[in-house]
Amino acid sequence: MKRKLFALLMALVMVLSLAACGGSGDSGTSGDSGSTGGTAAEGSLHVGYSLAEDKNYYGPYYDEWSDMTDEELYEMALKEVEGGADELNIYATSSKMLKAKDDFEEKFPGLNLVISDLDSDEVLSKAEIENETGNITADVLQTKDVNGEVFHEYYDNGVIETFYPRDICSHINEENLKYSYPLYASQSFWYYNTEVFPDEQPIHSWWEIIEKNDDGSQKYTLFAKEIGQETAYLSLFASFINNAEEMEQSYKDTYGADLEYTYDASSFNFDVPENNAGVEYLWRFTQSKMTFISDGDELVRAVHNSTADKPALALASAGKIENREESGYNIAWCINLSPYTALLNTESMFVVQGCDNPAGARLFIRYITGGADCQSGGLKPFTKMGNWPLRDDFVDEKNPAKLDELGARTNDLVSIYNIYPNVQDMWMYWLSQSSNK
C-alpha cells in the first residue's frame, strides 16, 4: 500500500510540475515511454524534484563534483582520511567488485578500500538502516533497479545520491543516464537450440513464443525462472502493458490479423485497462504450460537437450551463453524480437548521502567505470559475455554482438513502478488459475 500511494503521489507531482513549466525541456526520450495503460505519468522523467525550490531535474544532473578530475578528488580524499575517514566502504552486489581493491589502492596510495559483497536486498536495507540511525558506514553502493524501487524509495528519500562525471558521461548515451550513473547493462534472452533450428532463430516476436499448433497443442516447451518471483521479468511484462499499442501492432504484423481480447479482469480490486495488448499477453502467457527452473545453467541445458519433436525455448540471462563454449551446448540468443527483445537491466553506482568520504566515493566511481580515458582498469572485472559497458569508447571483445544490435530498450522506471504491484498480482492470480500448472 505504501508503494502504491507513493507512486500516485509521484505521478501527481510530475504532472503538476510539467503543467507549471509548460512541458519538459528535456529532449531525451526513453524507449519505453509510450503508455497506453493510462497509469504512467507522461513527459520526461525527473531524476529529482525539489518541492522547496519548485524545480525539476533531469538526468544527467551535473553539480560541482561533475567536473572534478581524479587528481582533485584524490587530494580531497586524502584530506578525508586525515580527518578520520580512513576506510572507503563499498557495498556491492557483485563479487567481481572485490577484484578492484588491490589495483585501486595501488593507484591511489593512502586510500583503503573495504568492499562488502552483498545481495541486492542487503545493500539497500543496510544503507536504509544506516540512514535512519545516522550511523552511516557505506560510501558507495552498487545496485540494480529494474522496477523503480531504488529510484523512488532510496534516491527520492535521500538515502543515496547520483554522481555524474561530465567527461565520462559524454561517452554514454543520455538515455542511459536518466535514472542513475551506469556501470554496465545486462539483459535476458530467449534461448533456442541451434541444432534443431540450424538456419535461423525460430521466433521473431513475443507472440510466437506462446504460439499453438493447429491441433491446439503448444508449439514450444517453455522453461524459465518463476516469473512472479523475478522483478526484472515482471517489469518487462509491465512495460508491455505500458506499450500496448506496440504489442498490438506486433501481433498484427506477425499474423496479419487484429488481436482478439480474451482476458477477464473482473477478479481484481484495481482498474485493469480494457483491450490492452500487454494485459492480453500476460493473460495468455500465464495460461501456457511452463517449467520453472531456478538455475540459469539448467535452463539453457534444457534447451540444449530439446529435440525437433519437442522444441524448447528458455528465458535466461545473457551470460548463460557462455555454456556454448564451456559446455558445448547448442544454444543461441533470440534477438530483435518484436516489439522489442528485452529491457536493459543496468547496474549503477551511487554515492551514499551523508557519507564520510564524498570525494573518495566519487573517485572510486570514476575509477570503476573506466576513468577519463576508459583505461583505469576498473571495468575489467565486469567485462564478460552478457555484460555491456555503456561507454562508446569501450572496446567490447567478449560479446558476440553489440548492444544496439540486439533489440533491447532502456527501462522506464517511472511508468513501470506505477503499475508493478498490480502486474505482479495479475501474474500470480492468473497463474494460479491456469490448467497447465
Side-chain angles (χ1 to χ4, degrees):
M1 181 61 70
K2 176 182 175 183
R3 173 180 290 185
K4 293 180 182 179
L5 291 174
F6 187 80
L8 291 173
L9 176 61
M10 282 298 298
L12 178 61
V13 167
M14 290 196 299
V15 170
L16 291 176
S17 61
L18 284 171
C21 296
S24 168
D26 183 12
S27 59
T29 58
S30 170
D32 191 25
S33 60
S35 171
T36 58
T39 55
E42 296 180 353
S44 295
L45 174 66
H46 301 210
V47 166
Y49 181 76
S50 170
L51 288 172
E53 299 178 17
D54 192 26
K55 290 182 180 179
N56 302 316
Y57 300 108
Y58 305 93
Y61 171 46
Y62 298 114
D63 58 17
E64 65 274 10
W65 295 100
S66 298
D67 294 310
M68 290 187 180
T69 64
D70 289 351
E71 291 73 22
E72 291 171 323
L73 289 170
Y74 180 38
E75 183 179 350
M76 294 175 68
L78 289 176
K79 291 180 179 178
E80 291 168 353
V81 172
E82 292 174 2
D86 57 348
E87 292 182 343
L88 185 58
N89 282 276
I90 316 298
Y91 289 177
T93 58
S94 172
S95 59
K96 293 181 175 62
M97 192 70 74
L98 296 168
K99 297 179 180 180
K101 177 178 169 63
D102 292 344
D103 187 59
F104 178 83
E105 292 179 345
E106 183 179 343
K107 282 182 168 63
F108 302 102
L111 301 184
N112 180 32
L113 278 187
V114 177
I115 300 176
S116 300
D117 178 19
L118 309 167
D119 64 32
S120 296
D121 289 340
E122 285 180 305
V123 164
L124 295 170
S125 63
K126 284 174 66 69
E128 185 175 38
I129 292 171
E130 290 176 12
N131 178 269
E132 290 173 350
T133 61
N135 185 26
I136 296 173
T137 299
D139 298 291
V140 175
L141 297 190
Q142 175 225 333
T143 192
K144 182 188 300 182
D145 192 6
V146 294
N147 69 344
E149 181 180 5
V150 175
F151 178 78
H152 288 94
E153 300 178 17
Y154 294 88
Y155 173 81
D156 275 347
N157 288 343
V159 178
I160 53 179
E161 57 186 280
T162 55
F163 167 53
Y164 290 110
R166 195 189 305 267
D167 54 350
I168 301 177
C169 288
S170 69
H171 292 285
I172 302 173
N173 189 315
E174 193 164 301
E175 184 177 277
N176 295 314
L177 296 168
K178 272 191 167 184
Y179 305 94
S180 60
Y181 178 66
L183 177 59
Y184 64 87
S186 62
Q187 61 185 295
S188 294
F189 290 99
W190 285 99
Y191 286 78
Y192 72 98
N193 186 312
T194 54
E195 192 172 68
V196 174
F197 301 100
D199 297 327
E200 65 170 345
Q201 65 189 54
I203 58 170
H204 297 88
S205 83
W206 273 82
W207 294 102
E208 291 176 308
I209 295 166
I210 56 173
E211 196 170 280
K212 295 185 182 300
N213 296 311
D214 292 338
D215 62 2
S217 61
Q218 197 165 299
K219 189 170 184 178
Y220 300 105
T221 303
L222 302 181
F223 297 91
K225 293 183 178 181
E226 209 291 87
I227 290 172
Q229 300 174 13
E230 296 292 320
T231 306
Y233 295 160
L234 284 177
S235 296
L236 177 61
F237 281 100
S239 78
F240 288 157
I241 293 171
N242 286 330
N243 291 294
E245 290 180 355
E246 292 183 60
M247 287 295 289
E248 189 173 51
Q249 186 62 48
S250 172
Y251 183 92
K252 189 166 187 176
D253 292 343
T254 301
Y255 299 110
D258 290 334
L259 174 64
E260 179 184 352
Y261 293 94
T262 61
Y263 64 88
D264 176 9
S266 61
S267 300
F268 303 108
N269 62 358
F270 49 81
D271 291 333
V272 177
E274 296 180 0
N275 295 339
N276 181 291
V279 177
E280 179 67 25
Y281 190 85
L282 179 68
W283 155 249
R284 294 191 187 189
F285 198 99
T286 60
Q287 303 311 294
S288 300
K289 185 176 181 179
M290 291 170 282
T291 300
F292 297 131
I293 301 175
S294 60
D295 182 81
D297 294 315
E298 293 299 314
L299 284 169
V300 294
R301 186 167 74 167
V303 171
H304 170 71
N305 290 333
S306 64
T307 65
D309 293 334
K310 283 188 144 183
L313 300 171
L315 182 60
S317 63
K320 296 307 173 183
I321 196 68
E322 290 182 332
N323 281 283
R324 186 165 57 186
E325 283 73 32
E326 294 176 357
S327 305
Y329 289 177
N330 301 314
I331 56 174
W333 299 328
C334 294
I335 65 173
N336 290 313
L337 298 183
S338 171
Y340 44 93
T341 307
L343 295 180
L344 293 184
N345 299 322
T346 304
E347 291 286 350
S348 297
M349 305 300 299
F350 295 93
V351 177
V352 176
Q353 195 162 115
C355 68
D356 292 334
N357 300 277
R362 288 166 172 83
L363 177 64
F364 178 79
I365 289 174
R366 286 181 59 87
Y367 161 81
I368 205 67
T369 55
D373 57 2
C374 204
Q375 300 299 313
S376 72
L379 280 170
K380 186 176 180 180
F382 305 97
T383 303
K384 63 182 288 288
M385 203 174 294
N387 289 352
W388 286 268
L390 296 171
R391 296 181 60 148
D392 62 16
D393 56 348
F394 176 81
V395 179
D396 187 353
E397 298 176 343
K398 296 288 186 179
N399 284 297
K402 295 180 180 179
L403 191 59
D404 60 6
E405 298 172 342
L406 303 172
R409 64 172 48 173
T410 305
N411 198 334
D412 182 351
L413 295 181
V414 162
S415 65
I416 287 175
Y417 181 84
N418 287 344
I419 69 169
Y420 179 87
N422 293 348
V423 173
Q424 187 172 40
D425 287 347
M426 286 190 287
W427 171 271
M428 299 301 291
Y429 177 74
W430 276 339
L431 183 67
S432 72
Q433 301 302 304
S434 174
S435 60
N436 290 316
K437 290 187 296 180

